[in-house]
Amino acid sequence: MLDAATELSAWAEEGRDFAVATVVAVSGSAPRGPGAALAVDSRGTAVGSVSGGCVEGEVYELCRQALADGETVLRRFGYSDEDAFAVGLTCGGVIDILVTPVTAGSPVRAVLRAALSAAARGERTALARVVQGPAELLGQALLVRADGAGDRAYEGAAGAGHEGGLGGHPDLDRTAAAEARAMLDGGRSGTVELSADGSHCPGGLTLLVETRVPPPRMIVFGAIDFAAALVRAGKFLGHHVTVCDARPVFATRSRFPEADDIVVDWPHRYLRRTATDRRTVLCVLTHDAKFDIPLLTAALRMPVAFVGAMGSRRTHADRERRLREAGLTERELARLRSPIGLDLGARTPEETALSIAAEIVAARRGGTGVPLTGSGTPIHHHEAAEAGDVAAA
């Protein structure tokens, strides 16, 4: 739901009634992951998607019904041989969808409005909702902000309003907030199973925790023509893209109009002073030893998601030799993806950027990079790292 925060926050500010359907669990070859949402307002306007088209019509009607009766419902959609094209997922798999009305009389309106508003402003935000459990608790919500502040509301007993948090037991709120804050710190979204008393033992409650964090960084070192194409690819993938080069004649706004930041500095010096995290992608396109070696020596010792370097096989062999001489261990060198990119036979800057972007996605999602045709590999990998939390390559 937070992925559509800009549109839904505007609806909430306008006072519109709407219902939001959120994917809360998936299995098999489901097209969208937990947190994907479709919202429908009282005028019939729809934004978002929960299945890439398979069950949108049925979910749209569920949202309309929720607006009419004010009821929160949990519905499962799965492949059906007998009635596949009616309400089933024709591509296979199963998805569970929570449909929540956000109306003037809804007890969760205030907390959802606060969550959407914070996410739309770009604040680090986590929203935890009960998606499985007793019917009276379904849809209860807890908002956690990066500064530790929280807002609560829940659907349940009439007149309870904004009291009671997720379900009445004081430890449940504390545990849920701690779990949500941990996922927020990692930029992850997913489910958490708890007991009603707040213990970590699975005991009948499932929370969906959605997080909204600033976009991950991509830092492109080397202001060359290939970098211009990679900047566009990085923006398309949702990164905040920085171009860094020590040569002011090349690192210019006119050459990289789509970059978020352009930095004129020695690459290794800039890397050491700028903020990075476990989602950061570093692409070294300079293929010049005087830039590459000090830069990669620093990069391969940092907890970032991806470190790749451009160059021929000969350049790579020479680079590895120099990095060993600089003191890097074999384990540190194993993190280096070089020559950068998947084997697409790329020639042009745009094709090369596509090759690099494809490797970044494969590293993030646990993909193999092999063609799906004839491979028998899963289409959707259930990697350990959730979206937005990329394990170090």
Side-chain angles (χ1 to χ4, degrees), residues 55-78:
V55 299
E56 304 309 274
E58 180 72 8
V59 174
Y60 179 90
E61 293 303 325
L62 285 175
C63 288
R64 298 280 284 178
Q65 183 62 41
L67 282 170
D69 60 26
E71 296 293 325
T72 296
V73 297
L74 181 67
R75 184 68 59 86
R76 172 165 291 181
F77 294 91

Side-chain angles (χ1 to χ4, degrees), residues 71-89:
E71 296 293 325
T72 296
V73 297
L74 181 67
R75 184 68 59 86
R76 172 165 291 181
F77 294 91
Y79 183 79
S80 167
D81 289 331
E82 295 78 20
D83 199 17
F85 289 94
V87 294
L89 292 172

Side-chain angles (χ1 to χ4, degrees), residues 199-253:
S199 66
H200 284 87
C201 298
L205 284 182
T206 301
L207 305 181
L208 172 67
V209 180
E210 297 177 70
T211 65
R212 187 67 179 265
V213 295
R217 295 193 68 188
M218 172 187 283
I219 308 178
V220 181
F221 297 97
I224 62 176
D225 51 354
F226 288 88
L230 185 55
V231 167
R232 294 193 293 273
K235 293 295 293 180
F236 179 75
L237 291 178
H239 292 270
H240 180 102
V241 183
T242 299
V243 175
C244 175
D245 197 299
R247 303 164 297 178
V249 68
F250 294 113
T252 64
R253 176 58 63 185

